[in-house]
Amino acid sequence: MAASTRLMSRLALVTGGGSGIGRAVCQRLASEGASVVVADISHESAMETVGRLPGDLRGQGHMAAAVDVSSKESVKKLLTSVQTRFFQPPSVCVNAAGITQDDFLLNMEEEHFDKVLLVNLKGSFLVLQAVAQALVACGAPKGSIVTVGSIVGKVGNIGQANYSASKAGVEGLTRTAAKELSRFGIRCNCVLPGFISTPMTDKVPERVISKWWSSDHNEPKWHLLPESM
Ligand code: NAP
């Protein structure tokens, strides 16, 4: 099947779809024929993404939705509104919502640690669980759920104790979900991007970003140092 029709008749849900990587994922999924639910904490930015998408191949259209992935109630409402509009749960789900609140470990506020874990890790859990439950409940649960971890979850990064812990957690969550959900035909994968220039990384001043190439892995390594450091 041609790449442009590969996802025809698929319904995809993308959290964090109002910006950066999530927005690019929405564009790619729509360009391959999927109907996309763009969900973001900002309804306005979700609508902006929808406005830029090509039409889906089945003519079901796309949908913009506001969601706070860290709230179980908000995630539940999102799944209900998706199923009310499309009469099916999403069979593709990409969890791209995420935040950073960087600081040195020695200075990091407990509140900032909790917030990053709440959005990045618990948010991924809540969305993954809600989508998997909806797929299993509909009786034809084939699907693909993608979480967005980070290379920082593997190797750590100065100033990102909270963020790197959350992303290591996302990877463990996804590995477990893959083992539990494979029997339902639901694939779970975690992608670990390196540095990608988006509004998230734009918040970090140029002067504190340094990149270099690892001699042994031939992969980019990078450090983001908070401005206060
Ligand atoms: P981004 O441009 O900031 O996009 C993230 C989106 O998620 C934003 O629209 C953000 O809204 C939204 N969001 C924040 N909290 C939310 C919540 N509670 N509920 C729903 N949506 C929420 O960042 P990005 O760089 O594209 O990052 C996307 C994902 O990739 C994140 O999980 C990030 O950790 C991961 N990642 C990024 C990089 C990179 O280098 N860019 C590398 C590795 C992994 P606000 O803008 O209002 O916060």
Side-chain angles (χ1 to χ4, degrees):
M1 195 177 280
S4 60
T5 60
R6 208 162 58 106
L7 297 176
M8 185 170 69
S9 83
R10 288 291 195 153
L11 178 61
L13 166 64
V14 182
T15 72
S19 180
I21 294 172
R23 176 170 282 176
V25 167
C26 293
Q27 283 163 344
R28 180 59 187 258
L29 293 172
S31 75
E32 297 201 11
S35 197
V36 183
V37 178
V38 182
D40 199 279
I41 194 108
S42 158
H43 191 246
E44 201 182 334
S45 58
M47 284 196 303
E48 201 185 316
T49 299
V50 166
R52 298 178 187 196
L53 298 181
D56 67 297
L57 290 174
R58 272 220 322 205
Q60 294 186 111
H62 307 296
M63 173 180 168
V67 68
D68 177 355
V69 296
S70 67
S71 154
K72 184 170 182 161
E73 200 191 337
S74 178
V75 171
K76 201 174 153 204
K77 269 191 197 158
L78 171 67
L79 265 293
T80 302
S81 63
V82 169
Q83 295 193 84
T84 303
R85 157 123 186 223
F86 295 99
F87 306 106
Q88 61 181 316
S91 59
V92 176
C93 173
V94 181
N95 292 274
I99 59 167
T100 53
Q101 292 196 346
D102 298 347
D103 209 339
F104 272 137
L105 177 66
L106 294 179
N107 302 333
M108 187 171 283
E109 301 281 348
E110 181 182 356
E111 185 192 321
H112 290 172
F113 185 86
D114 287 347
K115 179 73 182 169
V116 169
L117 269 285
L118 191 65
V119 174
N120 296 0
L121 180 53
K122 188 177 172 189
S124 297
F125 161 71
L126 289 174
V127 175
L128 196 161
Q129 185 189 50
V131 170
Q133 284 172 340
L135 281 168
V136 171
C138 84
K142 278 199 164 182
S144 170
I145 302 177
V146 177
T147 55
V148 182
S150 168
I151 195 65
V152 160
K154 283 262 184 239
V155 301
N157 196 26
I158 292 169
Q160 294 196 309
N162 50 2
Y163 183 79
S164 53
S166 74
K167 293 302 186 179
V170 167
E171 187 182 341
L173 164 73
T174 313
R175 285 183 184 278
T176 301
K179 288 180 196 279
E180 290 190 17
L181 299 175
S182 62
R183 72 189 179 98
F184 298 107
I186 302 172
R187 287 182 291 116
C188 297
N189 288 285
C190 183
V191 294
L192 312 183
F195 184 87
I196 296 174
S197 180
T198 67
M200 178 183 274
T201 58
D202 289 349
K203 287 175 201 155
V204 181
E206 191 67 34
R207 70 177 176 79
V208 294
I209 297 179
S210 61
K211 290 188 255 179
W212 74 95
W213 292 84
S214 151
S215 53
D216 37 5
H217 295 106
N218 198 29
E219 283 173 354
K221 280 186 174 179
W222 51 278
H223 275 191
L224 292 180
L225 306 181
E227 192 167 25
S228 57
M229 298 169 69

